[in-house]
Amino acid sequence: MAKVMAISNQKGGVGKTTTAINLAAGLSAAGKTVLLVDFDSQGNASQGLSAFFTEDQPTVYSVLMEGVPVQEAVVRSEANGFDILPANLALAGADLEMDKQGAGKEQLLSRALEPLRDQYDYILIDCPPSLGLLNTNALTAADTVLIPVQCEYYALEGITQLLITIRLVQHTSNPGLRIEGILMTMYDIRTRLSVEVAQEVRQTFGRLVYQTSIPRNVRLSEAPSRGLSIFQYDPRCTGAQKYQALTEEILERARQEGSHE
């Protein structure tokens, strides 16, 4: 049974998609079967993995709003070693369409993914930078939430808003939801700001914060333009080393919890 992990923060530009792609690739390289669900209407994960081959290809929108079987929308990223459920701009209107559906509208994604949960070890959801119904659907479908946090002044404010949403989802549609971990991104050890923000987040959240921090790294920015994860693009760069360390840290936590060993 797959562990479903939402990668979420309502702030944009914190490294959600970069983390989703490279964690999926890291887990796959570790021998895990992985599905990456692109749940952001910008479709950056889909573009960054070259996941579109034909104009009429089904997407996560087709599955949720048009009744297309989810298996028909899943695409294999051969170069990166995992599957992707792609998204495009059609998803932008899904929030409003979901809102008209009444009862159960928070569980559309959870129900859609159900047939796939026995086929993967991990299902990662790249969430939109917002707190609307798409994000609520992702958190309802997830077992855990990984929160990427950029090393900037308002980092804690962003986490606080997301934690309020997580508590709301726990009370309404997914009582078992828990935090997988908090990942510091765009970390620059040379700047006082990065060091101070990381210290503050660690003091506030303790062991929830991963030991691994993701640095600013130009190779991480370049990789999506080639349709590759950082492991395929430049496996020796600092960005690849850090995402490898994050993957190992996540797998070690899973081993300690006695699941997904």
Side-chain angles (χ1 to χ4, degrees):
M1 180 68 78
K3 181 177 192 176
V4 182
M5 189 187 303
I7 299 171
S8 181
N9 189 327
Q10 77 280 359
K11 290 173 69 70
V14 300
K16 281 192 302 294
T17 299
T18 299
T19 296
I21 289 174
N22 292 307
L23 179 55
L27 290 168
S28 174
K32 305 300 180 184
T33 51
V34 182
L35 171 67
L36 173 57
V37 179
D38 188 351
F39 212 48
D40 185 350
S41 61
Q42 296 175 70
N44 289 338
S46 303
Q47 294 162 13
L49 293 167
S50 301
F52 280 102
F53 305 108
T54 61
E55 285 187 17
D56 59 351
Q57 181 178 317
T59 64
V60 66
Y61 176 87
S62 317
V63 173
L64 295 184
M65 311 310 299
E66 297 173 349
V68 172
V70 67
Q71 295 90 339
E72 293 181 16
V74 171
V75 176
R76 181 72 179 169
S77 177
E78 292 292 350
N80 297 290
F82 58 88
D83 292 347
I84 180 167
L85 179 54
N88 58 16
L89 273 173
L91 193 60
D95 244 322
L96 289 173
E97 293 180 50
M98 286 176 176
D99 202 32
K100 298 173 185 173
Q101 296 214 4
K105 59 191 174 187
E106 302 89 358
Q107 297 167 336
L108 291 170
L109 181 62
S110 180
R111 289 198 295 265
L113 293 178
E114 196 60 39
L116 299 179
R117 288 194 69 148
D118 287 335
Q119 298 180 27
Y120 297 95
D121 295 315
Y122 285 88
I123 296 176
L124 307 183
I125 306 173
D126 184 20
C127 297
S130 67
L131 291 178
L133 262 174
L134 286 177
N135 213 53
T136 303
N137 261 264
L139 296 179
T140 300
D143 300 310
T144 64
V145 190
L146 190 158
I147 308 172
V149 179
Q150 188 176 353
C151 291
E152 60 175 23
Y153 271 122
Y154 298 111
L156 277 175
E157 181 182 303
I159 301 176
T160 302
Q161 290 174 330
L162 180 58
L163 290 178
I164 292 170
T165 303
I166 289 171
R167 280 195 291 272
L168 180 63
V169 170
Q170 286 170 331
H171 286 130
T172 56
S173 55
N174 188 1
L177 182 65
R178 62 180 180 82
I179 296 174
E180 178 76 26
I182 296 171
L183 175 67
M184 304 306 301
T185 62
M186 291 149 202
Y187 181 74
D188 187 345
I189 197 169
R190 299 168 300 177
T191 68
R192 198 162 133 192
L193 176 60
S194 273
V195 174
E196 287 178 353
V197 169
Q199 286 176 344
E200 186 178 15
V201 173
R202 289 187 191 282
Q203 285 169 4
T204 304
F205 294 100
R207 292 188 64 201
L208 281 176
V209 185
Y210 293 110
Q211 291 300 310
T212 306
S213 299
I214 306 300
R216 291 188 181 277
N217 180 253
V218 68
R219 307 298 272 173
L220 285 172
S221 304
E222 293 171 352
S225 67
R226 306 295 171 86
L228 299 172
S229 79
I230 194 62
F231 299 108
Q232 279 70 38
Y233 183 61
D234 188 351
R236 288 176 292 188
C237 75
T238 302
Q241 292 169 7
K242 292 296 185 180
Y243 273 111
Q244 177 64 32
L246 174 66
T247 302
E248 291 171 3
E249 197 171 344
I250 286 172
L251 290 172
E252 178 56 32
R253 286 190 184 188
R255 276 190 286 272
Q256 291 173 3
E257 293 166 4
S259 63
H260 297 84
E261 297 184 24

